[in-house]
Every structure is written in C-alpha cells, then in structure tokens.
Amino acid sequence: MSQDILVVAEHLNGAIADVTYEMLGKGKELASATGGALICAVLGSGVDPSSLGCADKILNVDHPGLADFNPEAHSTVLSSVVTTAAPRLTLVANTSMGMDLAASLSVKNDLPLVAYGLNVAIEDGKVIATSQLYGGKICAESELEGDSVIVSVLAGSFPAAAGRMDGSPAVETVEAPAAVTDTRLRFTGLIEPEAGDVDITQQDILVGVGRGIGSDEHLPMMEQLAKALGGTVAASRPIVDNKWLPKTRQVGKSGLKVTPKIYVALGISGAPEHIEGMKDAELIVAINTDETAPIFEFAHYGTTEDLFDVVPALIEKLT
Amino acid sequence: MNIVVPIKLVPDLVEELEINDEGTDLERDFLSYKINEFCDHAIEEALQLKEAHGGTVTVIGVERDETDKALFTALAKGADKAIKITELDEAAPTHVVAKAVCNVLAGMEYDIVMTGVQAADDRDGQLGVLLGSYLGIPHVSVVSDVSIDGDTIALHKEYAGGVMARYEVASKVVLGVQAARQTPRYAPVSRVRQIMKEMEIEEVEAADADVAIGSTLRRVYTPEKGEGAEMIEGSAEDIAGKIAAVINEKRGG
Ligand SMILES: Cc1cc2nc3c(=O)[nH]c(=O)nc-3n(C[C@H](O)[C@H](O)[C@H](O)COP(=O)(O)OP(=O)(O)OC[C@H]3O[C@@H](n4cnc5c(N)ncnc54)[C@H](O)[C@@H]3O)c2cc1C
C-alpha cells in the first residue's frame, strides 16, 4: 500500500462538483501528513481536468460508457482503480453518486468505510474520521484500521477554495475494464427541473417551512408571514414530498442551495441535508419547540416557543 | 414482481439521545426505536408497485425493541410476509445487518430489493448499497418514481437542484428509496391489532453475519454548540418583538 490520498472526482454534465474541490483541498493537507501524493480519479468521458490542479496526479479513466453516472459501471471501475493505486485513503463524496460508490468499494475491495464524514485527520499515522449521524444530533469519531481505508465526506465540510486550482497535473490514462459496457443497469437520460416558479436562489428573504407546520392548512399563515417580510416561502423536503409545495421551493441537498439575507426556519429540525442548502444565509432565525434541534447550531437567533404562537404575533409586528 | 423491503429501526430523533458513560456509543437502555422514515417510503413504494402489477411484498427487520410493531404495521398496510432476524447485537453495524439480510435473501425468490436510502445510524455505509454489493446485483441510491413494464424496472435517481437521472434494469436490483410517490399510508391501530391475531412473523436467526468493519468508535458526542443561536425567551409577544427587531435591523442594513 502507498501513502497516497485518492480523491474520486464527481461531475455532472461535464461540470466538476464543488465537493470535489473540497475533498482535494483536504486531501492536500492529508497527503502532506502521510508524505504521499494527492491523486484525483476521474471516471468519465471528456471531462476537462484543468481545474483539478490541486492534485499531483490525475488517473483518468475515459470511456463513453462512463459519460453519465452509472452506479454499476462506475463502481466496477472505481474498484479496479483503487486496487491498482492502493491508496492509504480514498475520499468519496457522500452525495447521491458517492453513496453508490463508497459502500460498494468497501465490499468489493474489502476496505473499511466510514460515511457521513465531517472531518478526516491523520493522527499518529492512523486515519480518524468524524461522522455526523442521527440527523445531525450526534458526532461520532472513528479510528479506521488497516493500511487502505475509505471515508465518504459530506458536501460542504471543507472550503472548496482550497482545492480549486488551475494547472496541468500529470494525467495518467487508465484503461477502462471491459465490464463498463456490459452493465445490467442502463442510464436512459437526465431530467432537468421545470422552471416557471419563483427562483428561491434569487430571493433576499425566505421563510423556510418544515414538517413542524403540521398540515398544509397552515401554509396560508406562513405565506402571510413571508408577505409581511417581503419574502417567499421555501421548504424542507418532507413538505415537497407531501406535495404541499412544488419541488422548486425545496432547500437542501436534493433541492436548491440558497444564500438569502434572511432565512426564517419554522418547524425545521436542521437535518444535515437541509443545512447543506441554507447554512450560508446571512441571518438565520429558527423557531422550533425541540431545544436539541440541530437547526439551533446554525441559527443566529432561536426560540423554542411554539411556532403557532410566535408566527401570528410576528405577522402583526411586521404589518 | 416479488419485492423485499429490509427495514431499519433507528432511535426516535424527536427524543433526546443520551450518550453512555464511556462516551463511545448511545446509551441504548432507554432508547425508543422507530422505523427509519426512508424505509417507510420504501414500503409505500413497494406496496404501490404490488397494487399496480401484482406480486408480493416481504418486509424484513432486525430484532429490536419495536421490530414486531413495525413488521405488523407493514403487514397491516398490505405486505404479504414479515421476517424478523434475531440474535444480532442492537448496535450491529450496517455491514453486519447487510450480510444477515443477504443470507436470508439467499433462500428467497425476489426481483427487487427496496431499502430506505439511508438511516440515521449507518456510520459504515448505507444498507442498500452494501446489500447490492454483497449480492452482486446492481444498486441505485436516492431513488424515486419506480415503475415496471414487463420485465423492465425503470426508476429515477435524484441529484442536487431537482436534476434526476433515469435508469432501466431488467435484472434483480437493489433500490435505496428516497421518497415514495405518495406520503406513506397510515395503518390504524385497530387494523394492526387485528393483523397481530391473524398473521405471524417468521423468525430467522442471523447466520454468518460476522464481518469486521475495520473501524472502532473512539468518541461519540453531541456537536459542540459553537456560537450557536442566541435563544430568545419570554412570552410569544416578546419573542415576536425581538425577532421583528433583528429582522428589521437586517432589512434596513
Ligand atoms: C439523499 C437525501 C437527500 C435529502 N435532501 C433533502 C433536501 O434537499 N432538503 C431537505 O430539507 N431535506 C432533505 N432530506 C431529508 C432530511 O434528511 C430530513 O428528513 C428533512 O430535512 C427533515 O425535514 P424537517 O426538518 O421539515 O422535518 P423534521 O425533521 O421532522 O423536523 C420537524 C421539526 O419541527 C419541530 N416542530 C414540531 N412542531 C412544532 C411547533 N408547533 N413549533 C415549532 N417547532 C415545531 C420539531 O421539533 C422538529 O424539529 C434528504 C435526505 C436524503 C437521504
């Protein structure tokens, strides 16, 4: 095994995802701790590696069968890349794509995996990973055993700026295994979201509503608050899954990332997948009856008073 | 098609989670477990497919405090069969659960396995992906909108920003379900009680599920509060007043 750190690049439609730069920045720091090189594995077709200059070397598996993410093809290829490269540590994003890669790499290559990584460190030559579990309520620090291990990293855990670097790192072309074209699972297309609704990413003031509002009967009250504030109603995922509001209003990992001036979170617990989408709002005010709700770690102001008592009073004060 | 739904029970996140004296795990003695919400969605999506296309739905759960209740609830909702895996440690890592479920599946006929996409406690990876990898069949995470046409299963995988990828597969597959096409149905308590009299849960001892996950927990803790929120106290009136003030200050600035 080597002392190298291998980062698995994530990309969609040719665009490298920010989480890749986040991992590269962190990977650079870890590689200097292990004394190894920082390697970036790119599994795709025609992906431009010029922004991956943070890496010492790129392992480029370029094949038409990898143009669009296919959990079966990509996990087969990643397994063989990791077998050959034998890195000390493989970093994979804990995203929709990365979830399909990290756990399958763990089984296929029989390597330890710690998921939901918020932080990774090398201490006395050991890999230590901190996971965010239980909806963000608990952190768990794990020591990984063995000389090659995997950590899957939550998007937004490290600054992307540290890893976004132009350059022309050495590119090593890796032959794709034959199995790439021989998958049972077939990718049949991408569906882009429908436009037409308000664009919540462009709003200065958002009222984020969560499952705590109880029923869609209470939406008009939340709309009224948004109006009094001169803002728009956005939502956590369950509200959208319940079809109380359209998908265009969803904030978070599988929704939109928003950076308004003001974000008022009503009855939102603050699950990591929601936080990912709104933590950079300038002012966050949270109303949640559970004093241990993780949303309060990210909010600037909070109250555990019932939202149905506070919101009407707030509407009155603002109108 | 025959669909198997392995479910996870996780601590109820609405309640306070306590940490043991050593600081190495949750204090499990008083934990109340409930079905992982994404598993509830997996059951719903499986039942929807069964109602549209026939076939069966089998639900599998690892024994914990509330497993019987969760399994009987699934039966009350329309599942055909429930299996409980016994003799696994309460804190068993997900690799071990996956291995145990895999061994149960070995004796079954199935076409689709549907799990919840993730659970609050899968520190060592998500059940569906681990399961698919042990079984050597394709897996897809963050799935919604599953449909069946003849032998072909079609599905959506969700990415950020509402973008979705479409896939098709005509073989066995494991799907990590994010959301069912409708809010998971509710089974009235009276119906669950009746099912408890009419149906039985099959019990299977976990066999050959010892896998070393290669990591040990050093420290479990509640996140440092950091600066955290400034908490506003008082009457609803006072609180609203203070919130209005900080918002107005921000809006003005
Ligand atoms: C792959 C993946 C992607 C995901 N993507 C997203 C995403 O993009 N966006 C997203 O939001 N989630 C996403 N999720 C879901 C996420 O894990 C959580 O399930 C979700 O964010 C929880 O929403 P919530 O906070 O509204 O509900 P809950 O977690 O149920 O919280 C409701 C809160 O309301 C409070 N409450 C109840 N009644 C009141 C009252 N009267 N007054 C005040 N407070 C009250 C409760 O204390 C509780 O904290 C994703 C999950 C996965 C697995």
Coordinates of all heavy atoms in Angstrom, one line a residue, chain A residues 224-291:
Chain A
Q224 N -48.4 34.4 4.6 CA -48.7 35.7 5.1 C -47.5 36.3 5.8 O -47.2 37.5 5.6 CB -49.9 35.6 6.2 CG -50.8 36.7 6.2 CD -51.8 36.5 7.3 OE1 -52.2 35.4 7.6 NE2 -52.3 37.6 7.9
L225 N -46.8 35.4 6.5 CA -45.5 35.9 7.2 C -44.5 36.3 6.1 O -43.9 37.4 6.2 CB -44.9 34.8 8.1 CG -43.6 35.2 8.7 CD1 -43.7 36.4 9.6 CD2 -43.0 34.0 9.5
A226 N -44.4 35.4 5.1 CA -43.5 35.7 4.0 C -43.8 37.1 3.4 O -42.9 37.9 3.1 CB -43.5 34.6 3.0
K227 N -45.1 37.3 3.2 CA -45.5 38.6 2.5 C -45.2 39.8 3.4 O -44.7 40.8 3.0 CB -47.0 38.5 2.3 CG -47.6 39.6 1.4 CD -48.9 39.2 0.8 CE -49.6 40.4 0.2 NZ -50.8 40.8 1.0
A228 N -45.5 39.6 4.7 CA -45.2 40.7 5.7 C -43.7 41.0 5.7 O -43.3 42.1 5.9 CB -45.6 40.3 7.1
L229 N -42.8 40.0 5.4 CA -41.4 40.2 5.4 C -40.9 40.7 4.0 O -39.7 41.0 3.9 CB -40.7 38.9 5.7 CG -40.7 38.4 7.1 CD1 -40.3 36.9 7.2 CD2 -39.7 39.3 7.9
G230 N -41.8 40.6 3.0 CA -41.3 40.9 1.7 C -40.5 39.7 1.1 O -39.6 39.9 0.3
G231 N -40.8 38.5 1.5 CA -40.0 37.4 1.1 C -40.9 36.3 0.4 O -42.1 36.5 0.1
T232 N -40.4 35.1 0.4 CA -41.0 34.0 -0.3 C -40.9 32.7 0.6 O -40.0 32.6 1.4 CB -40.2 33.7 -1.6 OG1 -40.2 34.8 -2.4 CG2 -40.9 32.5 -2.4
V233 N -41.9 31.9 0.5 CA -41.9 30.6 1.2 C -41.0 29.6 0.5 O -41.2 29.3 -0.7 CB -43.3 30.1 1.5 CG1 -43.3 28.7 2.1 CG2 -44.1 31.0 2.4
A234 N -40.1 29.0 1.3 CA -39.3 27.8 0.8 C -39.6 26.7 1.8 O -40.4 26.9 2.7 CB -37.9 28.2 0.8
A235 N -39.1 25.5 1.6 CA -39.5 24.4 2.4 C -38.4 23.3 2.5 O -37.4 23.2 1.8 CB -40.7 23.7 1.8
S236 N -38.6 22.5 3.6 CA -37.8 21.3 3.7 C -38.4 20.2 2.8 O -39.5 20.3 2.3 CB -37.7 20.8 5.1 OG -39.0 20.3 5.5
R237 N -37.6 19.2 2.6 CA -38.0 18.1 1.7 C -39.4 17.4 2.0 O -40.2 17.2 1.1 CB -36.9 17.0 1.7 CG -37.3 15.8 1.1 CD -36.3 15.2 0.2 NE -37.0 14.4 -0.8 CZ -36.6 14.0 -1.9 NH1 -35.5 14.4 -2.4 NH2 -37.4 13.3 -2.7
P238 N -39.7 17.1 3.3 CA -41.0 16.4 3.5 C -42.2 17.2 3.0 O -43.2 16.6 2.6 CB -41.0 16.3 5.1 CG -39.6 16.3 5.5 CD -38.9 17.2 4.5
I239 N -42.1 18.5 3.1 CA -43.2 19.4 2.6 C -43.4 19.2 1.1 O -44.5 19.2 0.6 CB -42.8 20.9 2.9 CG1 -42.6 21.1 4.4 CG2 -43.9 21.9 2.4 CD1 -43.8 20.8 5.3
V240 N -42.3 19.1 0.4 CA -42.4 18.9 -1.0 C -42.8 17.4 -1.3 O -43.6 17.2 -2.2 CB -41.0 19.2 -1.7 CG1 -41.0 18.9 -3.1 CG2 -40.7 20.7 -1.4
D241 N -42.3 16.5 -0.6 CA -42.7 15.1 -0.8 C -44.2 14.9 -0.6 O -44.9 14.2 -1.2 CB -42.0 14.1 0.2 CG -40.5 13.9 -0.3 OD1 -40.2 14.2 -1.5 OD2 -39.7 13.4 0.5
N242 N -44.7 15.7 0.4 CA -46.2 15.7 0.6 C -47.0 16.5 -0.4 O -48.2 16.6 -0.3 CB -46.5 16.4 2.0 CG -46.1 15.5 3.2 OD1 -45.9 14.3 3.0 ND2 -46.1 16.1 4.3
K243 N -46.2 17.1 -1.3 CA -46.8 17.9 -2.4 C -47.6 19.1 -1.9 O -48.5 19.6 -2.5 CB -47.7 17.0 -3.3 CG -47.0 15.8 -3.9 CD -47.7 15.1 -5.0 CE -46.9 14.0 -5.7 NZ -46.4 12.9 -4.8
W244 N -47.2 19.6 -0.8 CA -47.8 20.8 -0.3 C -47.2 22.0 -1.0 O -47.8 23.1 -1.1 CB -47.5 21.0 1.2 CG -48.2 19.9 2.1 CD1 -49.0 19.0 1.7 CD2 -48.0 19.7 3.5 NE1 -49.4 18.2 2.7 CE2 -48.8 18.6 3.8 CE3 -47.2 20.4 4.5 CZ2 -48.8 18.1 5.2 CZ3 -47.3 19.9 5.8 CH2 -48.1 18.8 6.1
L245 N -45.9 21.9 -1.4 CA -45.3 23.0 -2.2 C -44.5 22.3 -3.3 O -44.1 21.1 -3.2 CB -44.3 23.8 -1.3 CG -45.0 24.8 -0.4 CD1 -43.9 25.4 0.6 CD2 -45.6 26.0 -1.1
P246 N -44.3 23.0 -4.5 CA -43.5 22.4 -5.6 C -42.1 22.2 -5.2 O -41.5 22.9 -4.4 CB -43.7 23.4 -6.7 CG -44.1 24.7 -6.1 CD -44.7 24.4 -4.8
K247 N -41.5 21.3 -6.0 CA -40.0 21.0 -5.8 C -39.1 22.2 -5.9 O -38.1 22.2 -5.3 CB -39.7 19.9 -6.9 CG -38.3 19.4 -6.9 CD -38.2 18.2 -6.0 CE -36.8 17.6 -5.9 NZ -36.7 16.6 -4.8
T248 N -39.6 23.2 -6.7 CA -38.8 24.4 -6.9 C -38.6 25.2 -5.6 O -37.7 26.1 -5.5 CB -39.5 25.3 -7.9 OG1 -40.9 25.3 -7.6 CG2 -39.3 24.9 -9.3
R249 N -39.3 24.8 -4.6 CA -39.2 25.5 -3.3 C -38.3 24.8 -2.3 O -38.1 25.2 -1.2 CB -40.6 25.7 -2.6 CG -41.6 26.5 -3.5 CD -41.2 27.9 -3.6 NE -42.2 28.6 -4.5 CZ -43.1 29.4 -4.0 NH1 -43.2 29.6 -2.7 NH2 -44.0 30.0 -4.8
Q250 N -37.8 23.6 -2.7 CA -37.1 22.8 -1.8 C -35.6 23.3 -1.6 O -34.9 23.4 -2.5 CB -37.1 21.3 -2.2 CG -36.4 20.4 -1.2 CD -36.3 19.0 -1.7 OE1 -37.2 18.5 -2.4 NE2 -35.2 18.4 -1.5
V251 N -35.3 23.5 -0.3 CA -33.9 23.9 0.1 C -33.2 22.6 0.6 O -33.7 21.9 1.4 CB -34.0 24.9 1.2 CG1 -32.6 25.2 1.8 CG2 -34.7 26.2 0.7
G252 N -32.0 22.4 0.1 CA -31.1 21.4 0.6 C -30.4 20.5 -0.4 O -30.4 20.9 -1.6
K253 N -29.9 19.4 0.1 CA -29.0 18.5 -0.7 C -29.7 18.1 -2.0 O -29.0 18.2 -3.1 CB -28.8 17.3 0.2 CG -27.8 16.3 -0.4 CD -27.9 15.0 0.5 CE -26.9 14.0 0.1 NZ -25.6 14.1 0.8
S254 N -30.9 17.7 -2.0 CA -31.5 17.3 -3.2 C -32.5 18.4 -3.8 O -33.2 18.2 -4.7 CB -32.3 16.0 -3.1 OG -33.2 16.0 -2.0
G255 N -32.4 19.6 -3.1 CA -33.1 20.7 -3.6 C -32.1 21.8 -4.0 O -31.1 21.5 -4.7
L256 N -32.4 23.0 -3.6 CA -31.5 24.1 -4.1 C -30.7 24.7 -2.9 O -31.1 24.6 -1.8 CB -32.4 25.2 -4.6 CG -33.1 24.9 -5.9 CD1 -34.3 25.8 -6.2 CD2 -32.2 24.9 -7.1
K257 N -29.6 25.2 -3.3 CA -28.7 25.9 -2.3 C -29.1 27.4 -2.3 O -29.0 28.0 -3.4 CB -27.3 25.6 -2.6 CG -26.3 26.1 -1.6 CD -24.9 25.6 -1.9 CE -23.8 26.4 -1.2 NZ -23.9 26.6 0.2
V258 N -29.4 27.9 -1.2 CA -29.8 29.3 -1.1 C -28.9 30.1 -0.2 O -28.4 29.6 0.7 CB -31.3 29.5 -0.7 CG1 -32.3 28.8 -1.6 CG2 -31.5 28.9 0.7
T259 N -28.8 31.4 -0.5 CA -27.9 32.2 0.3 C -28.6 33.6 0.5 O -28.1 34.6 0.1 CB -26.6 32.5 -0.3 OG1 -26.8 32.9 -1.7 CG2 -25.7 31.3 -0.3
P260 N -29.8 33.6 1.1 CA -30.6 34.8 1.3 C -29.9 35.7 2.4 O -29.1 35.2 3.1 CB -32.0 34.4 1.7 CG -31.7 33.1 2.4 CD -30.6 32.4 1.7
K261 N -30.4 36.9 2.5 CA -30.0 37.8 3.6 C -30.6 37.2 4.9 O -30.0 37.2 5.9 CB -30.5 39.2 3.3 CG -29.6 40.0 2.4 CD -29.9 41.5 2.8 CE -29.0 42.4 1.9 NZ -29.8 43.2 1.0
I262 N -31.9 36.8 4.8 CA -32.6 36.4 6.0 C -33.3 35.0 5.7 O -34.0 34.9 4.6 CB -33.7 37.4 6.4 CG1 -33.1 38.8 6.6 CG2 -34.5 36.9 7.6 CD1 -34.1 39.9 6.8
Y263 N -33.1 34.1 6.5 CA -33.8 32.8 6.4 C -34.5 32.5 7.7 O -33.8 32.4 8.8 CB -32.8 31.7 6.1 CG -33.4 30.3 5.7 CD1 -33.8 30.1 4.4 CD2 -33.7 29.4 6.7 CE1 -34.4 28.8 4.1 CE2 -34.2 28.1 6.4 CZ -34.6 27.9 5.1 OH -35.2 26.7 4.7
V264 N -35.8 32.4 7.7 CA -36.6 32.1 8.9 C -37.0 30.7 8.8 O -37.8 30.3 8.0 CB -37.8 33.0 9.1 CG1 -38.5 32.8 10.4 CG2 -37.4 34.5 9.0
A265 N -36.5 29.8 9.7 CA -36.8 28.4 9.7 C -37.9 28.1 10.7 O -37.7 28.2 11.9 CB -35.5 27.6 10.0
L266 N -39.0 27.6 10.2 CA -40.2 27.3 11.0 C -40.4 25.8 11.1 O -40.8 25.2 10.0 CB -41.4 28.0 10.4 CG -41.4 29.5 10.3 CD1 -42.6 30.0 9.6 CD2 -41.2 30.2 11.6
G267 N -40.3 25.2 12.2 CA -40.5 23.8 12.3 C -39.7 22.9 11.5 O -40.1 22.0 10.9
I268 N -38.4 23.3 11.4 CA -37.4 22.6 10.6 C -36.3 22.1 11.6 O -35.8 22.9 12.4 CB -36.7 23.5 9.5 CG1 -37.8 23.8 8.4 CG2 -35.5 22.8 8.9 CD1 -37.2 24.7 7.3
S269 N -36.1 20.8 11.6 CA -35.2 20.2 12.6 C -33.7 20.6 12.4 O -32.9 20.7 13.3 CB -35.3 18.7 12.7 OG -34.9 18.1 11.5
G270 N -33.4 20.8 11.1 CA -32.0 21.1 10.8 C -31.2 19.8 10.5 O -30.0 19.7 10.9
A271 N -31.8 18.9 9.7 CA -31.1 17.7 9.3 C -29.9 18.1 8.4 O -30.1 19.2 7.7 CB -32.0 16.8 8.5
P272 N -28.8 17.4 8.4 CA -27.7 17.8 7.5 C -28.0 18.1 6.1 O -27.5 19.0 5.5 CB -26.7 16.6 7.6 CG -27.1 15.8 8.8 CD -28.6 16.1 9.1
E273 N -29.0 17.3 5.5 CA -29.4 17.5 4.1 C -30.1 18.8 3.9 O -30.1 19.4 2.8 CB -30.3 16.4 3.7 CG -29.6 15.0 3.6 CD -29.6 14.3 5.0 OE1 -30.3 14.8 5.9 OE2 -28.9 13.3 5.1
H274 N -30.7 19.4 5.0 CA -31.4 20.7 4.8 C -30.3 21.8 5.1 O -30.2 22.7 4.3 CB -32.5 20.8 5.8 CG -33.3 22.1 5.6 ND1 -34.2 22.2 4.6 CD2 -33.2 23.3 6.2 CE1 -34.7 23.5 4.7 NE2 -34.1 24.1 5.6
I275 N -29.5 21.6 6.1 CA -28.5 22.6 6.4 C -27.6 22.9 5.2 O -27.2 24.0 5.0 CB -27.6 22.1 7.6 CG1 -28.5 21.9 8.9 CG2 -26.4 23.0 7.9 CD1 -29.1 23.2 9.5
E276 N -27.2 21.8 4.5 CA -26.4 21.9 3.3 C -26.9 23.0 2.4 O -26.1 23.7 1.7 CB -26.3 20.6 2.6 CG -25.2 20.4 1.6 CD -25.2 19.0 1.0 OE1 -25.3 18.0 1.7 OE2 -25.1 19.0 -0.2
G277 N -28.2 23.2 2.4 CA -28.7 24.2 1.4 C -28.9 25.6 1.9 O -29.2 26.5 1.1
M278 N -28.8 25.8 3.2 CA -29.1 27.2 3.7 C -28.1 27.7 4.7 O -28.3 28.8 5.2 CB -30.5 27.2 4.3 CG -31.0 26.1 5.2 SD -30.1 25.9 6.7 CE -30.8 27.3 7.7
K279 N -27.1 27.0 5.0 CA -26.2 27.4 6.1 C -25.5 28.7 5.9 O -25.0 29.4 6.8 CB -25.3 26.3 6.6 CG -24.2 25.9 5.6 CD -23.2 25.1 6.3 CE -22.1 24.8 5.4 NZ -22.0 23.5 4.8
D280 N -25.4 29.1 4.6 CA -24.7 30.4 4.3 C -25.6 31.6 4.2 O -25.1 32.7 3.8 CB -23.9 30.2 3.0 CG -22.8 29.2 3.1 OD1 -22.3 29.0 4.2 OD2 -22.5 28.5 2.1
A281 N -26.8 31.4 4.7 CA -27.7 32.6 4.8 C -27.1 33.6 5.8 O -26.5 33.2 6.7 CB -29.1 32.2 5.2
E282 N -27.3 34.9 5.5 CA -26.6 35.9 6.4 C -27.2 35.9 7.8 O -26.5 36.1 8.8 CB -26.7 37.3 5.7 CG -25.7 37.4 4.5 CD -25.9 38.7 3.8 OE1 -26.2 39.8 4.5 OE2 -25.8 38.8 2.6
L283 N -28.5 35.8 7.9 CA -29.2 35.9 9.2 C -30.2 34.7 9.2 O -31.1 34.6 8.4 CB -29.9 37.2 9.4 CG -30.8 37.2 10.7 CD1 -29.9 37.3 11.9 CD2 -31.7 38.5 10.6
I284 N -30.0 33.8 10.2 CA -30.9 32.7 10.3 C -31.6 32.8 11.6 O -31.0 32.9 12.7 CB -30.1 31.3 10.2 CG1 -29.4 31.2 8.9 CG2 -31.1 30.1 10.4 CD1 -28.4 30.0 8.8
V285 N -33.0 32.7 11.6 CA -33.8 32.7 12.8 C -34.6 31.4 12.8 O -35.2 31.1 11.8 CB -34.8 34.0 12.8 CG1 -35.6 33.9 14.0 CG2 -34.0 35.3 12.6
A286 N -34.5 30.7 13.9 CA -35.2 29.4 13.9 C -36.2 29.3 15.0 O -35.9 29.7 16.2 CB -34.1 28.3 14.1
I287 N -37.4 28.8 14.7 CA -38.4 28.6 15.7 C -38.7 27.1 15.7 O -39.1 26.5 14.7 CB -39.7 29.4 15.3 CG1 -39.3 30.9 15.1 CG2 -40.8 29.2 16.4 CD1 -40.5 31.8 14.8
N288 N -38.4 26.5 16.8 CA -38.5 25.0 16.9 C -38.7 24.6 18.4 O -37.9 25.0 19.2 CB -37.3 24.3 16.3 CG -37.5 22.9 16.2 OD1 -37.9 22.2 17.1 ND2 -37.1 22.3 15.0
T289 N -39.7 23.9 18.7 CA -40.0 23.5 20.1 C -39.0 22.6 20.7 O -39.0 22.4 21.9 CB -41.4 22.9 20.2 OG1 -41.6 22.0 19.1 CG2 -42.5 23.9 20.1
D290 N -38.2 21.9 19.9 CA -37.2 21.0 20.4 C -35.9 21.7 20.7 O -35.2 22.1 19.7 CB -37.0 19.8 19.4 CG -35.9 18.9 19.8 OD1 -35.4 19.0 20.9 OD2 -35.6 18.0 19.0
E291 N -35.5 21.9 21.9 CA -34.3 22.7 22.2 C -33.0 22.0 21.7 O -32.0 22.6 21.6 CB -34.2 23.0 23.7 CG -34.1 21.8 24.6 CD -33.9 22.1 26.0 OE1 -33.6 23.3 26.3 OE2 -34.0 21.2 26.8

